[in-house]
Amino acid sequence: MTVRWIRAALAGVTVLSLALTGCGGADDESSAGTGGTVTVFAAASLTETFTKLGKDFEAAHSGTRVVLNFAGSSALATQITQGAPADVFAAASPATMRTVTDAGDAAGAPAVLVRNQLVIAVPEGNPDRVGGLADLARPGLKVALCAEQVPCGAAAKSTLDAAGVRLTPATLEQDVKGALSKVTLGEVDAALVYRTDVRAAAGLAAVEFPESARGVNDYPIVVLKHAGNPDGARAFVDHVRSEAGLAVLTAAGFQAPPSR
């Protein structure tokens, strides 16, 4: 019922319900305060890692079910401030998190979970020989960017502006997965996306470029003020911020925040 309700309320947003994988006794991470459903709104670039972390969390907390809702951070933030039911919000930038905290919808201060950095996604073999950021402005090269209001788009804009590279994108997408899919489908020749998304995709390669240091995004996470399952929400945040959680995230290409 939970997944169907969220799909009906949030049309056009992908909702992934993770089936309970725990069995018998829970491990040392289990907590008597958990149980029920934990609904997590998370940036699209966290899809693969949070899917795994959600399954791990369910296995460690008998009787708990994780429902994951992935989309662009700005869309998720708007949904939260408009009353969409959620327990945890993980954003791809502090700016999108501020939409939620400024509205008074966070239970406490967000913590930086990880960082992510831009790369140029190209088809495997790099047929257009894209070697750096300036190549994206070559005549005839079709490039996908994220829209400026979403974190990957804001990072791309700041990086391109700082490098003095001017280009007209073939498409502006509402989240990083949308931009990446344009390369996968052969609709564009390259896209500015996160390193983690290229690593998780088949048939693509990442072109690193030095200017990407200006496009590093912090990913904050917070328990929401109106969480229906605050104990489960706090336990989930603790899980993804644990050493085991960080290991899953860094294995996917995320960077640990400087304070770790």
Side-chain angles (χ1 to χ4, degrees):
M1 280 298 291
T2 303
V3 174
R4 287 197 295 269
W5 190 95
I6 293 177
R7 280 177 176 161
L10 305 176
V13 179
T14 301
V15 177
L16 174 60
S17 173
L18 297 177
L20 180 66
T21 57
C23 59
D27 64 19
D28 291 340
E29 194 185 320
S30 298
S31 169
T34 60
T37 297
V38 181
T39 301
V40 181
F41 280 28
S45 49
L46 291 167
T47 298
E48 292 79 14
T49 50
F50 266 42
T51 297
K52 174 172 172 46
L53 289 168
K55 290 177 179 177
D56 293 346
F57 182 78
E58 289 177 336
H61 297 82
S62 181
T64 301
R65 183 168 176 255
V66 177
V67 172
L68 294 168
N69 180 17
F70 298 111
S73 295
S74 57
L76 294 175
T78 298
Q79 290 160 14
I80 290 167
T81 60
Q82 291 178 348
D87 300 304
V88 174
F89 180 40
S93 73
T96 47
M97 178 59 76
R98 278 195 297 274
T99 300
V100 171
T101 56
D102 288 352
D105 289 322
V112 176
L113 177 62
V114 286
R115 313 181 93 184
N116 212 349
Q117 195 157 346
L118 293 178
V119 296
I120 303 168
V122 296
E124 206 165 53
N126 194 4
D128 291 294
R129 300 293 183 263
V130 175
L133 199 61
D135 288 339
L136 297 183
R138 285 199 325 234
L141 195 77
K142 292 183 289 186
V143 179
L145 299 178
C146 295
E148 288 183 22
Q149 67 267 27
V150 297
C152 64
K157 183 179 187 306
S158 63
T159 302
L160 290 165
D161 287 350
V165 176
R166 301 287 180 264
L167 62 88
T168 300
T171 181
L172 291 171
E173 298 298 315
Q174 292 306 308
D175 62 51
V176 69
K177 296 297 186 187
L180 194 71
S181 71
K182 295 297 183 180
V183 187
T184 303
L185 295 170
E187 296 179 12
V188 300
D189 305 306
L192 270 177
V193 297
Y194 295 125
R195 177 184 293 150
T196 53
D197 293 288
V198 180
R199 186 175 293 192
L204 299 181
V207 177
E208 303 275 352
F209 57 96
E211 299 93 340
S212 66
R214 296 179 178 271
V216 176
N217 272 0
D218 287 341
Y219 280 52
I221 188 169
V222 75
V223 174
L224 295 170
K225 183 177 180 179
H226 302 293
N229 185 357
D231 290 335
R234 284 190 289 270
F236 182 82
V237 171
D238 288 344
H239 173 70
V240 299
R241 295 190 68 212
S242 68
E243 290 303 319
L246 184 63
V248 170
L249 290 156
T250 54
F254 287 98
Q255 304 166 27
S259 59
R260 293 294 295 229

